[in-house]
Amino acid sequence: MKKIIYVLFFITALAQTSCQSDPLEDIEKGDWNNERNVLDIKFENQVGNAQIVRVDEQTGTINLAINVDAVPNLSNIVIKELVLSYGANSSVAEGEALNFENAENSASLTVTSPTGKSRNYTVVASSFRESLIGIYDIDNLIVYGGTGPEYGGGAVLAMTDKPWIWSTTNGPDKELDNQLIFEMEGITEDGNTYGKVTNTAGADGQYADFIYVGSPQTDVKNFYRQIPTGEGKWLRNYAAGTITFTFADGTIKVGTFENAGTEDLGNGQKKTITNNAFAFNLNGTDDWTNIYSDYDKFVKKPRRFWIDVTKKD
């Protein structure tokens, strides 16, 4: 008897379900959907992410940067990726191009919702040139270090201010006739620029070995060899504000490229950059036993390191 009841219940439920409309039918028709937004857009040779703004129901703006070193002009910039709101269509599709070669460096595209409503986006492409490209003289190597800077243990010092703690044949002074040559090779899918860096040995043909010759003698290349000798790779992440150096052996160092200005380090310490500098945060270890010593500042608790440079070309 129970089996008969179960079968009758199943048949009744099936009959009721068959009488109901498809729950996805209304969604698939799109009669409800007025959305007409650009969610993301990427062009060939675009640097960084596009800034997309819905101004009102009918208009929007898209601002982006194009690497003009990689294209002859802005007249034919191809859309690599275009993400729209559900069911919407665009007047310009992926693989097609916009022409920004005009006084405003602008073009337009229209996005239409499934219900026929539209929003016109004004797309403005600014010209981008990688400022890092060129040749730089190395001017100085500066370290901020020391345990307990709140107690006077910190200092900002040029490495060459203390020549007696470094090798006389391969000390930091050997870096000061070097040049850094930055060449650009391309742009990643994320809009980050990358290329080759060449660190030349200069007239003396030497690089610093970064051996602290005091007691105890210590190799501190892990702190101060931040840019490869010879050839290496660089990648500039504009969203994070960083520059990453990759050595031939796969070692990676991450820093920033700083413009002229003064950096307040706290506790009465500061660093002034005259032209430009490559700056790196260092992760030393507090050594209260050796506080106030050169050993503490350069070997045990270095905090930040600047390679001061001047661009020649």
Side-chain angles (χ1 to χ4, degrees):
M1 184 67 177
K2 288 183 179 179
K3 289 184 179 179
I4 296 173
I5 293 173
Y6 290 153
V7 171
L8 290 173
F9 176 79
F10 175 76
I11 293 172
T12 302
L14 183 63
Q16 289 176 344
T17 302
S18 64
C19 294
Q20 293 177 354
S21 60
D22 183 352
L24 296 178
E25 184 177 356
D26 289 340
I27 294 176
E28 291 173 348
K29 281 182 179 180
D31 293 343
W32 57 274
N33 188 356
N34 296 315
E35 295 299 312
R36 50 203 185 276
N37 305 316
V38 174
L39 303 180
D40 194 15
I41 189 168
K42 288 184 175 66
F43 289 82
E44 288 185 353
N45 297 300
Q46 178 179 318
V47 179
N49 298 320
Q51 303 299 313
I52 304 169
V53 177
R54 289 176 291 176
V55 176
D56 54 36
E57 290 298 308
Q58 288 78 40
T59 61
T61 61
I62 301 173
N63 288 278
L64 53 98
I66 299 294
N67 174 29
V68 294
D69 290 318
V71 294
N73 55 60
L74 295 174
S75 64
N76 190 56
I77 307 301
V78 176
I79 299 175
K80 292 175 58 178
E81 181 180 341
L82 180 60
V83 181
L84 306 176
S85 50
Y86 177 77
N89 292 301
S90 172
S91 60
V92 185
E94 289 183 4
E96 297 181 343
L98 292 179
N99 180 3
F100 299 102
E101 195 67 20
N102 52 63
E104 293 78 22
N105 290 338
S106 68
S108 65
L109 63 84
T110 300
V111 179
T112 304
S113 72
T115 57
K117 294 186 176 182
S118 63
R119 175 177 286 113
N120 185 69
Y121 284 88
T122 299
V123 189
V124 179
S126 58
S127 298
F128 169 87
R129 293 186 184 276
E130 177 50 71
S131 60
L132 197 61
I133 298 170
I135 301 172
Y136 298 80
D137 288 333
I138 294 181
D139 301 325
N140 219 339
L141 306 178
I142 308 293
V143 177
Y144 168 49
T147 300
E150 65 272 26
Y151 301 109
V156 177
L157 299 165
M159 300 184 85
T160 52
D161 287 347
K162 305 279 186 173
W164 56 90
I165 67 174
W166 309 107
S167 165
T168 56
T169 56
N170 294 101
D173 61 303
K174 301 306 177 185
E175 300 282 309
L176 302 188
D177 65 345
N178 293 7
Q179 287 186 329
L180 302 173
I181 304 169
F182 285 84
E183 302 171 72
M184 184 169 164
E185 295 178 337
I187 300 175
T188 69
E189 289 293 323
D190 297 326
N192 299 323
T193 55
Y194 65 90
K196 180 175 74 173
V197 58
T198 304
N199 184 352
T200 70
D204 61 14
Q206 297 184 65
Y207 299 98
D209 61 8
F210 295 116
I211 301 294
Y212 174 80
V213 298
S215 179
Q217 182 170 304
T218 311
D219 185 338
V220 286
K221 281 195 296 292
N222 62 309
F223 286 138
Y224 303 118
R225 179 54 66 204
Q226 295 287 338
I227 298 179
T229 59
E231 291 186 0
K233 298 293 184 181
W234 62 268
L235 182 145
R236 195 171 187 183
N237 186 321
Y238 278 86
T242 59
I243 179 167
T244 298
F245 293 98
T246 303
F247 292 60
D249 65 358
T251 298
I252 291 175
K253 301 286 188 176
V254 180
T256 58
F257 183 58
E258 303 291 340
N259 295 319
T262 298
E263 185 174 339
D264 185 358
L265 303 168
N267 299 296
Q269 301 296 329
K270 62 182 179 179
K271 167 68 172 84
T272 298
I273 299 170
T274 303
N275 295 302
N276 290 107
F278 295 96
F280 305 88
N281 289 325
L282 305 182
N283 189 25
T285 303
D286 285 328
D287 187 351
W288 295 96
T289 303
N290 291 289
I291 190 173
Y292 310 123
S293 68
D294 293 336
Y295 176 72
D296 178 49
K297 293 177 179 65
F298 289 104
V299 179
K300 293 297 291 185
K301 189 58 177 181
R303 295 169 176 270
R304 191 155 165 81
F305 177 49
W306 297 266
I307 302 173
D308 286 345
V309 295
T310 299
K311 191 172 187 178
K312 291 186 63 179
D313 182 23

